[in-house]
Every structure is written in C-alpha cells, then in structure tokens.
Amino acid sequence: MSKLSLEELASLDVLQAAYISALDGKAMKAWLDTFDDDPDASYICTARNDVECGLKVAMMLDDCRDRLIDRCTFIEDIWAGTFQDYRTRHFSQRVTAERREDGSVAMSSNFSVIFTPDDTGLPQQLATGTYEDIIRMDGGRCRFLSRTAVTDNSVLPRYLVFPL
Amino acid sequence: MTGQEAYQRDIVWPANYNEIPKEIFVRQDLYQAEINRIFRGPEWHPVAHESEVPLPGDFKTCNLADVPLLIIRGEDGKVRAFYNACSHRSNQIEVKPSGNRTEFECPYHRWLFNSAGELVGCPNQREFTPGFDKKDYPLAQPRQESLGGLLFVTLSPETDSLDDFLQEAKTSLMDIMGGDGRLRLIGYHRVRYLTNWKAYSDNDGYHPPLLHQAFTMLNWQGGAGRQYATTGRGHYCIDTELTVPKPTSVIRDTSVIEFRDEGRPKRSSVLALFPMLVASNYLNVISIRFATPVAIDEVEVNYAYFAHQDDDEEMVRHRIRQSSNAIGPSGLISMEDASVFHRVHIGNRTPGKAVFQKGVTDPSRLSFEFRQNDESGNLPHWEYYRAAMGFRRTAA
C-alpha cells in the first residue's frame, strides 16, 4: 500500500461525483460508465450484518460486467412503469484511499442516501453505510473495478429499485 | 348485540365470497384485535429454520408481531424458541440480530442463562424469597413444534397440533424445503413494506404474467401443475411445471433464470400459510419469507435463502447468485410485487370492496382447487380470516 498524490485523490473525487450524479439523475448508462470494461467489474449491495456472518446473498449481486449491464436493463426496460419512482440524493465522504501493489486503488467511503418518493414528496433516509472500492487508475481517469455498498441497515425501509 | 366488537358492528361483510370490505385494511381497532386473535391467538407462526443457527450457541432474534423472541441452538443440539425477556424483571436478554454465545446474561441484575435457557447464576441469591430455586426461573418459552427443521411457535394454549394446522400443506412445505429440510443458510434480504399484513399475504396467481414483465420479456410461462387451498385455514399452494425459457437476448447473464438439475422435478412451488408465511422453491431458489406486522400499515419481511446440504460448491454459488438477483425485494422477477404491496395499501384507504374475479365460477361458494393463474385460490383464507375475526357474512 502506498499513499496517493493530491492529484490522484482529486481524480477519485471526480469518480465519486460522476457516480453520485449518475444515480441521482437516474442515468443508468452514466452509472455503468463509472465501472471498468473488465469482464469481472462488479457492483454489490449487501448488509453489514450479513457480511460479518459470512452470508453471501446480496440485495444486488452484479458480480460481472454482464450483470452490470443487465442491472440497467432491469430498471430501464423490464421494470419500467411498475414501481413507485423516487429521487435519491447520495452523500459520500472519502475516508481512506491507498494504492495497492498491483497499481489499483483501494478506497473506503462513508455514504448516506436520502430518497424522496414521487407519490409522497417526503424525503426519508434510505440507507447508510460504506463503499468499499477497488479502482483502476488509467492516466487521469478512474473507474471502479469493484464497488461494494455495505449498508449499516440490517433492514431496508423499502424495496430498492436503483443501486445505492 | 352484546359482546360484539365495534368493528364487527360497523363493517359489513359482503354475502359473496369473492368480495372483501376494504375498511379491514385500515381500521386501527381491528388491527389490535388481529394481533390478539391471530398473532397471539391459536395459529402457528414459523420463526426460524434450524439451519439459521447451525452451531451450538448460535442464536437469532426476531419478533412475532410485538412479541420479541430469541431462538438458540443449545449445547445439546436442540433448537428452542424463547421469549426474549429475562425471567426476573423481563429485561430484553439479547439485542443482536444473530450471533453465538455459550451463555446469555441479562445486564440489569446479571442473571445468567445457558443455551438451553436454564438459569445458571443470579447474584445475591441468599437474600431472595424463601425457597427460591433457579430451576423455577428458566427463560420462558412459547409452545413450539417443528417440521423439516422449520420451527413454529404459537402463543395460545388452544392451538391445534402443527399437523392439523398444516393439513395437506405439510407435504408441499417439505417439497419446497428440498424434500427433507436438510438446508444450509446462504443469506437474507430484509425489508419493510408499507402495507397492511393482509395485503402482503394476499398476492395471487392472476397477476404474475401481467405484472411481472420479466415473464413476458423472457418468453417464460409455467406449465401443468396443481393448485389447491387447504380446507382448514386456506393455506394455498401454486405448484407448476417449470417451462425453462428459450435463449434470450434481453439479458446478458442468463444464469439468473437458469434451472440447474438438482434431482427434483422441474417445478416452481409457492406456498402461502395463514397468516403470513410464504415459502417458495423457484428455479434453484429456496426461500422462506419470515414476515410479521410492525404496524397497521407496515410489515417486515426477512427473506431467508437456502442451499441444500447435498449441494456441491458450484451449486451453492449458483443459488447465491440466483437468490440475490432473481426473486426478492429487488429481484428481476419480483421487484414489482414490492411496489404493488405499497400501492394496494394506498388504494385500500378508499371506500368499498375489493373484488376477486379470475377463476371465480360461483361467488356463493368456496372452491379449494383452482388453476395456475386464478385469484380464486385466495378466497378460502379470506373466509377463515372472516370467521376468526368474528365477522358475520351478510345473508345472500
């Protein structure tokens, strides 16, 4: 593990902002573009209690790029018109970021997600937890090789449509 | 009219079996009566599968409506359900959702219980009432029975035996649990739905090909099978031959809808036990949904997912990947159910009756056999509910 330069840290923040902007704007193609083209690129959303108990079932288990693409298909095509739509606001705070021996970056961030359902208009807390990421840095560009959203919620207050 | 509850006087239960008064979903005094008559009444409620606590000292906590429970596997290997309250002053014993302990200590006065619930220590015992004996103060237990490792509790001494409660559904439940109940826990989805418990429990066979676009997009329909409801409580089972979908280009990773041979017939089975349990074996997903009301307009559902003990590691991995993304509160095939739970509850605040149509050939009588995509299979449990809550049906 080695430290990152200020420029490199800034590029991680650009990636975080792109991720947040994509989800808060419901732009699933832009969300997909925050992940690396590697076939093993992954997004997992799971509960901390389950991680601590070694349980592998996740709320969303997109453990390859094909599943990342399918996640977009679920939301934009298969589920279209059936769910109560909601808008999210993601708040994320980078806590640690270090370069690994293979050159990728391990980053951990706290997150909090507020959601506002269209039908009630009342904002509520949806989830809080940490992002545990492995990030590929290619020149000045960063993309996720893996992002795991680990929720402190053992119980979600409603069903999830969009990734956290 | 003495002895009648206000809700029994005010709510008019229609003459036709296929009509349900919507007021029952939103009336607060009725909800309180349901807690007493059903959740604290003579019904069996599944609370855990033994595979959730595989090792001695493993425990999990849960609630049956407003009653806290603590499930522990003892050093003797036996799984027991306790009230999650100290036998002394009723302080909550365990606060974690799950874990492992050899002993359970109440922090209030340091009374100590072993994994069989026996009181093994209590400070200052010499100053207690004359004749005090630790043997008289174990953790209290509700009545309990199990089937295939699935532990049921009842809070009423008057409840029928579990066999009588389940009737024909016993066989369906065992089939869903791999035939022998030798399961291995692989994880959970835990979620709350903003709906009344009865609306959550009222999912029907009519909606799947209509609501769930995945069925259409993936060119996937069920085949032959049997659908029935039990005569006692209207537990209903939809059991269909599984028609494996043709190759699709709609999604790229088709393992989410792949059926891998596990030595059983290619069937999808969904069983709904009164009042709230749903168990299913769908594709390669074995799921038991432990559910309980939290409030009149909120339920908590813990979807527990299982592999079978005879699975090889590749099959376990497949079940983990399929359980995560196929059927659950964010699953490809079933997310829309979650949305409907919410939306039906909002609609139930309007006056009038909910009406069942599909498969109802004669509204003046009940039928216990139905077809795969009928909604008439829900009517026997509604009739049981009506009688349990003491509503009088309007004369035809």
Side-chain angles (χ1 to χ4, degrees), chain A residues 61-77:
Chain A
L61 183 61
D62 301 338
D63 57 359
C64 58
R65 185 160 179 86
D66 278 350
R67 281 196 168 199
L68 293 172
I69 295 167
D70 289 343
R71 177 68 51 194
C72 301
T73 304
F74 291 5
I75 295 168
E76 294 184 329
D77 298 329

mmCIF file of all heavy atoms in Angstrom, chain A residues 61-77:
data_model
loop_
_atom_site.group_PDB
_atom_site.id
_atom_site.type_symbol
_atom_site.label_atom_id
_atom_site.label_comp_id
_atom_site.label_asym_id
_atom_site.label_seq_id
_atom_site.Cartn_x
_atom_site.Cartn_y
_atom_site.Cartn_z
ATOM 1 N N LEU A 61 -26.368 -8.373 -6.568
ATOM 2 C CA LEU A 61 -25.102 -9.098 -6.732
ATOM 3 C C LEU A 61 -24.737 -9.098 -8.212
ATOM 4 O O LEU A 61 -24.987 -10.060 -8.932
ATOM 5 C CB LEU A 61 -25.232 -10.526 -6.200
ATOM 6 C CG LEU A 61 -23.976 -11.401 -6.221
ATOM 7 C CD1 LEU A 61 -22.857 -10.807 -5.379
ATOM 8 C CD2 LEU A 61 -24.293 -12.808 -5.733
ATOM 9 N N ASP A 62 -24.165 -7.987 -8.648
ATOM 10 C CA ASP A 62 -23.768 -7.853 -10.044
ATOM 11 C C ASP A 62 -22.261 -8.090 -10.094
ATOM 12 O O ASP A 62 -21.471 -7.151 -10.065
ATOM 13 C CB ASP A 62 -24.151 -6.463 -10.564
ATOM 14 C CG ASP A 62 -25.653 -6.214 -10.456
ATOM 15 O OD1 ASP A 62 -26.408 -7.205 -10.384
ATOM 16 O OD2 ASP A 62 -26.060 -5.043 -10.430
ATOM 17 N N ASP A 63 -21.904 -9.373 -10.139
ATOM 18 C CA ASP A 63 -20.507 -9.745 -9.953
ATOM 19 C C ASP A 63 -19.745 -9.910 -11.262
ATOM 20 O O ASP A 63 -18.696 -10.542 -11.293
ATOM 21 C CB ASP A 63 -20.408 -11.011 -9.099
ATOM 22 C CG ASP A 63 -21.184 -12.184 -9.694
ATOM 23 O OD1 ASP A 63 -21.801 -11.993 -10.760
ATOM 24 O OD2 ASP A 63 -21.164 -13.277 -9.098
ATOM 25 N N CYS A 64 -20.277 -9.353 -12.336
ATOM 26 C CA CYS A 64 -19.564 -9.337 -13.613
ATOM 27 C C CYS A 64 -20.152 -8.186 -14.441
ATOM 28 O O CYS A 64 -21.233 -7.678 -14.141
ATOM 29 C CB CYS A 64 -19.702 -10.666 -14.355
ATOM 30 S SG CYS A 64 -21.397 -11.147 -14.704
ATOM 31 N N ARG A 65 -19.428 -7.803 -15.472
ATOM 32 C CA ARG A 65 -19.898 -6.649 -16.243
ATOM 33 C C ARG A 65 -21.241 -6.935 -16.921
ATOM 34 O O ARG A 65 -22.076 -6.052 -17.054
ATOM 35 C CB ARG A 65 -18.847 -6.245 -17.284
ATOM 36 C CG ARG A 65 -19.257 -4.976 -18.017
ATOM 37 C CD ARG A 65 -18.139 -4.246 -18.700
ATOM 38 N NE ARG A 65 -18.684 -3.064 -19.380
ATOM 39 C CZ ARG A 65 -18.861 -1.890 -18.808
ATOM 40 N NH1 ARG A 65 -18.521 -1.712 -17.541
ATOM 41 N NH2 ARG A 65 -19.381 -0.883 -19.481
ATOM 42 N N ASP A 66 -21.450 -8.192 -17.335
ATOM 43 C CA ASP A 66 -22.739 -8.521 -17.957
ATOM 44 C C ASP A 66 -23.893 -8.233 -16.987
ATOM 45 O O ASP A 66 -24.949 -7.753 -17.395
ATOM 46 C CB ASP A 66 -22.773 -10.000 -18.369
ATOM 47 C CG ASP A 66 -22.079 -10.220 -19.713
ATOM 48 O OD1 ASP A 66 -21.749 -9.220 -20.388
ATOM 49 O OD2 ASP A 66 -21.852 -11.393 -20.054
ATOM 50 N N ARG A 67 -23.686 -8.532 -15.721
ATOM 51 C CA ARG A 67 -24.755 -8.254 -14.753
ATOM 52 C C ARG A 67 -24.918 -6.754 -14.513
ATOM 53 O O ARG A 67 -26.017 -6.289 -14.213
ATOM 54 C CB ARG A 67 -24.509 -8.997 -13.432
ATOM 55 C CG ARG A 67 -24.886 -10.472 -13.492
ATOM 56 C CD ARG A 67 -25.015 -11.090 -12.101
ATOM 57 N NE ARG A 67 -25.651 -12.402 -12.192
ATOM 58 C CZ ARG A 67 -26.220 -13.036 -11.170
ATOM 59 N NH1 ARG A 67 -26.233 -12.483 -9.970
ATOM 60 N NH2 ARG A 67 -26.770 -14.224 -11.321
ATOM 61 N N LEU A 68 -23.834 -5.997 -14.615
ATOM 62 C CA LEU A 68 -23.956 -4.531 -14.513
ATOM 63 C C LEU A 68 -24.843 -4.011 -15.644
ATOM 64 O O LEU A 68 -25.709 -3.156 -15.431
ATOM 65 C CB LEU A 68 -22.578 -3.874 -14.592
ATOM 66 C CG LEU A 68 -21.617 -4.134 -13.434
ATOM 67 C CD1 LEU A 68 -20.231 -3.570 -13.764
ATOM 68 C CD2 LEU A 68 -22.130 -3.505 -12.146
ATOM 69 N N ILE A 69 -24.598 -4.544 -16.827
ATOM 70 C CA ILE A 69 -25.416 -4.131 -17.977
ATOM 71 C C ILE A 69 -26.864 -4.568 -17.771
ATOM 72 O O ILE A 69 -27.807 -3.813 -18.032
ATOM 73 C CB ILE A 69 -24.825 -4.718 -19.272
ATOM 74 C CG1 ILE A 69 -23.437 -4.112 -19.527
ATOM 75 C CG2 ILE A 69 -25.755 -4.476 -20.464
ATOM 76 C CD1 ILE A 69 -22.622 -4.822 -20.590
ATOM 77 N N ASP A 70 -27.051 -5.801 -17.262
ATOM 78 C CA ASP A 70 -28.413 -6.297 -17.001
ATOM 79 C C ASP A 70 -29.118 -5.449 -15.943
ATOM 80 O O ASP A 70 -30.343 -5.271 -15.998
ATOM 81 C CB ASP A 70 -28.382 -7.760 -16.552
ATOM 82 C CG ASP A 70 -28.018 -8.716 -17.683
ATOM 83 O OD1 ASP A 70 -28.104 -8.306 -18.853
ATOM 84 O OD2 ASP A 70 -27.628 -9.865 -17.381
ATOM 85 N N ARG A 71 -28.376 -4.935 -14.981
ATOM 86 C CA ARG A 71 -28.993 -4.073 -13.956
ATOM 87 C C ARG A 71 -29.674 -2.879 -14.629
ATOM 88 O O ARG A 71 -30.790 -2.499 -14.260
ATOM 89 C CB ARG A 71 -27.916 -3.600 -12.963
ATOM 90 C CG ARG A 71 -28.393 -2.644 -11.869
ATOM 91 C CD ARG A 71 -29.332 -3.267 -10.868
ATOM 92 N NE ARG A 71 -28.811 -4.509 -10.321
ATOM 93 C CZ ARG A 71 -29.541 -5.396 -9.631
ATOM 94 N NH1 ARG A 71 -30.831 -5.160 -9.409
ATOM 95 N NH2 ARG A 71 -29.007 -6.517 -9.188
ATOM 96 N N CYS A 72 -29.001 -2.319 -15.601
ATOM 97 C CA CYS A 72 -29.581 -1.184 -16.343
ATOM 98 C C CYS A 72 -30.836 -1.644 -17.103
ATOM 99 O O CYS A 72 -31.841 -0.923 -17.156
ATOM 100 C CB CYS A 72 -28.554 -0.602 -17.308
ATOM 101 S SG CYS A 72 -27.053 -0.026 -16.490
ATOM 102 N N THR A 73 -30.785 -2.846 -17.675
ATOM 103 C CA THR A 73 -31.939 -3.381 -18.414
ATOM 104 C C THR A 73 -33.121 -3.609 -17.482
ATOM 105 O O THR A 73 -34.268 -3.303 -17.825
ATOM 106 C CB THR A 73 -31.558 -4.712 -19.104
ATOM 107 O OG1 THR A 73 -30.420 -4.486 -19.931
ATOM 108 C CG2 THR A 73 -32.714 -5.247 -19.942
ATOM 109 N N PHE A 74 -32.849 -4.176 -16.280
ATOM 110 C CA PHE A 74 -33.940 -4.370 -15.298
ATOM 111 C C PHE A 74 -34.680 -3.044 -15.093
ATOM 112 O O PHE A 74 -35.904 -2.974 -15.160
ATOM 113 C CB PHE A 74 -33.395 -4.789 -13.924
ATOM 114 C CG PHE A 74 -32.782 -6.158 -13.812
ATOM 115 C CD1 PHE A 74 -32.619 -6.980 -14.906
ATOM 116 C CD2 PHE A 74 -32.352 -6.622 -12.570
ATOM 117 C CE1 PHE A 74 -32.032 -8.238 -14.765
ATOM 118 C CE2 PHE A 74 -31.776 -7.866 -12.421
ATOM 119 C CZ PHE A 74 -31.612 -8.670 -13.525
ATOM 120 N N ILE A 75 -33.910 -2.021 -14.786
ATOM 121 C CA ILE A 75 -34.507 -0.751 -14.349
ATOM 122 C C ILE A 75 -35.183 -0.028 -15.508
ATOM 123 O O ILE A 75 -36.307 0.472 -15.378
ATOM 124 C CB ILE A 75 -33.417 0.138 -13.704
ATOM 125 C CG1 ILE A 75 -32.910 -0.520 -12.418
ATOM 126 C CG2 ILE A 75 -33.951 1.548 -13.433
ATOM 127 C CD1 ILE A 75 -31.648 0.103 -11.860
ATOM 128 N N GLU A 76 -34.497 0.022 -16.638
ATOM 129 C CA GLU A 76 -34.992 0.872 -17.725
ATOM 130 C C GLU A 76 -36.014 0.167 -18.612
ATOM 131 O O GLU A 76 -36.856 0.832 -19.214
ATOM 132 C CB GLU A 76 -33.806 1.358 -18.566
ATOM 133 C CG GLU A 76 -32.894 2.291 -17.766
ATOM 134 C CD GLU A 76 -31.767 2.862 -18.592
ATOM 135 O OE1 GLU A 76 -31.306 2.165 -19.527
ATOM 136 O OE2 GLU A 76 -31.332 3.990 -18.300
ATOM 137 N N ASP A 77 -35.944 -1.160 -18.702
ATOM 138 C CA ASP A 77 -36.847 -1.882 -19.620
ATOM 139 C C ASP A 77 -37.819 -2.794 -18.886
ATOM 140 O O ASP A 77 -39.031 -2.696 -19.074
ATOM 141 C CB ASP A 77 -36.028 -2.721 -20.613
ATOM 142 C CG ASP A 77 -35.131 -1.846 -21.476
ATOM 143 O OD1 ASP A 77 -35.518 -0.691 -21.745
ATOM 144 O OD2 ASP A 77 -34.047 -2.311 -21.865
#
